[in-house]
């Protein structure tokens, strides 16, 4: 174990790094990210272009502790970060790797922690993980390896993320107790949709901004165009004329999802940005007053990526589905920054 000192800096390997939301936030807080690992090769460009660290295309289920150890520089406190997907990658669900089943990658993350014993561990995941036996197994690994840890389900809006998203955040350390930094935004001061995307150029459904290829919105069918024109900000499909309601709305299961085909509200945080945020019918993803779903850039800004964050190489065509997946799967940058501040404060305290 490397003791923290004022002359050393924390070095992070980010497992399941995706497009780099967590890593970018960690670096904004002063943490150095030395590598990211993800099974999806599409993540290489956004990670390397924005985080400026080495990206490795690997299935975490098959990654060895020796390989991860080789990515760290010598004599610096090591941080292992991981946001194991709540839906394992296809190679995993086909039976590859260890653990098997829905949450097997969390078990794999625990196995890497047990073997590597980095000074600090952080995990960000879906809140429902706390109710699963796999989470208890992960906590047992931490206890047996000598870690002190804290975990909680946090409202991302409390850290400046303009979403109603809640996430599980865990921090663990070999050096002593470590806590997540205090919230930066009280309930009365949450960042809103207007604060975040209100300045962007108006575009139609299927249109693209004049100076930003990522400010691109999906097209709408004639029926959905009629529906969004009937939709009120913060309202539901129940506000529509009955002739516009979809067949699924008349079924008992459909009646319990009033937020689909909904518009966001200007002066509230957005709903959780998912990989499907580009589709008007996939949730409350309609623009507050333009007749379209939010654009890719708007989704990225609501995930607190900076306005110039690059998701595809310059000159490459922007494909809505793949880019939306990168954005929706990401850890919000502001949440990553809060985690980074927590790590930096902890290591300074222990130096």
């Amino acid at each position: 174990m490397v003791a923290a000192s004022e002359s050393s800096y924390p070095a992070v390997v980010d497992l399941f790094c995706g497009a780099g939301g967590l890593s970018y936030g960690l670096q904004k807080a002063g943490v150095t990210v030395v590598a990211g690992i993800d099974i999806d090769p599409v993540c290489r460009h956004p990670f390397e272009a924005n985080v400026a660290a080495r990206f490795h295309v690997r299935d975490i289920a098959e990654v060895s502790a020796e390989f991860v150890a080789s990515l760290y520089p010598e004599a610096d406190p090591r941080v292992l970060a991981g946001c194991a997907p709540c839906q394992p990658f296809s190679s995993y669900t086909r039976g590859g790797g260890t653990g098997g089943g829905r949450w097997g990658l969390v078990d794999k993350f625990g196995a890497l922690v047990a073997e590597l014993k980095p000074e600090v561990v952080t995990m960000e995941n879906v809140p429902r993980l706390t109710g699963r036996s796999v989470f208890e197994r992960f906590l047992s690994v931490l206890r047996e390896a000598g870690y002190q840890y804290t975990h909680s389900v946090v409202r991302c809006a409390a850290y400046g993320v303009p979403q109603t998203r809640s996430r599980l955040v865990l921090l663990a350390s070999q050096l002593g107790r470590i806590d997540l930094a205090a919230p930066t935004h009280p309930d009365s001061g949450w960042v809103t949709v207007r604060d975040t995307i209100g300045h962007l150029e108006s575009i139609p459904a299927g249109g693209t901004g004049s100076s930003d290829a990522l400010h691109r919105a999906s097209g709408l069918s004639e029926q959905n165009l009629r529906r969004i024109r009937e939709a009120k900000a913060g309202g539901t499909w129940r506000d529509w004329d009955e002739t516009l309601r979809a067949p699924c709305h008349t079924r008992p299961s459909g009646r319990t999802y009033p937020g689909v085909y909904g518009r966001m509200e200007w002066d509230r945080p957005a709903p959780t940005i998912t990989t499907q945020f580009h589709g008007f019918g996939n949730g409350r993803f309609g623009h507050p007053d333009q007749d379209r779903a939010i654009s890719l850039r708007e989704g990225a800004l609501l995930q607190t990526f900076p306005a110039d964050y690059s998701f595809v190489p310059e000159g490459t065509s922007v494909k809505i589905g793949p880019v939306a997946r990168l954005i929706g799967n990401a850890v919000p940058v502001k949440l990553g920054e809060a985690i980074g501040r927590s790590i930096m404060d902890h290591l300074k305290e222990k130096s």
Side-chain angles (χ1 to χ4, degrees), residues 6-269:
E6 292 186 8
S7 61
S8 61
Y9 64 91
V12 178
V13 173
D14 186 358
L15 309 180
F16 320 102
C17 66
L22 174 60
S23 285
Y24 195 88
L26 292 173
Q27 292 200 151
K28 286 190 70 176
V31 180
T32 298
V33 176
V34 296
I37 306 173
D38 201 286
I39 197 172
D40 187 354
V42 176
C43 299
R44 178 183 297 280
H45 171 78
F47 188 85
E48 292 190 340
N50 300 282
V51 178
R54 183 73 180 273
F55 176 82
H56 300 271
V57 181
R58 301 222 177 183
D59 184 347
I60 300 299
E62 305 295 338
V63 166
S64 69
E66 290 79 10
F67 172 73
V68 178
S70 73
L71 302 176
Y72 288 103
E74 295 182 4
D76 296 313
R78 299 167 303 161
V79 180
L80 188 63
C83 178
C86 56
Q87 289 285 359
F89 292 117
S90 59
S91 66
Y92 199 84
T93 56
R94 286 196 300 267
T98 61
R102 181 178 176 84
W103 300 102
L105 290 173
V106 178
D107 282 327
K108 175 63 180 185
F109 185 27
L112 289 172
V113 170
E115 192 165 350
L116 285 166
K117 293 184 174 60
E119 282 66 43
V120 176
V121 173
T122 182
M123 174 197 284
E124 189 266 6
N125 218 298
V126 293
R128 68 181 180 275
L129 183 62
T130 57
R132 306 285 175 165
S133 60
V134 68
F135 187 62
E136 293 305 317
R137 291 197 298 273
F138 188 82
L139 297 181
S140 294
V141 167
L142 294 176
R143 289 191 294 269
E144 291 170 9
Y147 287 91
Q148 293 188 42
Y149 60 82
T150 57
H151 63 84
S152 60
V153 174
V154 302
R155 294 182 299 179
C156 295
Y159 292 92
V161 179
Q163 293 179 52
T164 57
R165 176 190 296 257
S166 292
R167 296 295 284 183
L168 168 67
V169 176
L170 176 144
L171 288 161
S173 174
Q174 294 267 359
L175 306 175
R177 181 181 172 90
I178 181 170
D179 294 287
L180 183 64
T184 55
H185 290 67
D187 290 3
S188 59
W190 285 354
V191 183
T192 67
V193 172
R194 188 189 303 276
D195 297 331
T196 309
I197 67 170
H199 63 287
L200 292 184
E201 174 186 1
S202 178
I203 59 173
T208 302
S210 59
S211 60
D212 181 3
L214 213 72
H215 187 32
R216 180 181 178 191
S218 296
L220 287 174
S221 67
E222 286 298 321
Q223 179 76 326
N224 279 341
L225 189 58
R226 288 193 291 271
R227 286 169 173 161
I228 199 168
R229 286 170 177 165
E230 289 278 328
K232 303 172 184 177
T236 75
W237 50 261
R238 294 177 181 135
D239 301 324
W240 303 347
D241 183 279
E242 289 190 6
T243 61
L244 293 176
R245 297 182 183 183
C248 63
H249 296 153
T250 64
R251 295 194 290 267
S253 59
R255 292 171 189 159
T256 62
Y257 293 96
V260 297
Y261 292 97
R263 286 186 187 268
M264 296 180 181
E265 297 175 78
W266 273 127
D267 296 316
R268 294 175 57 86

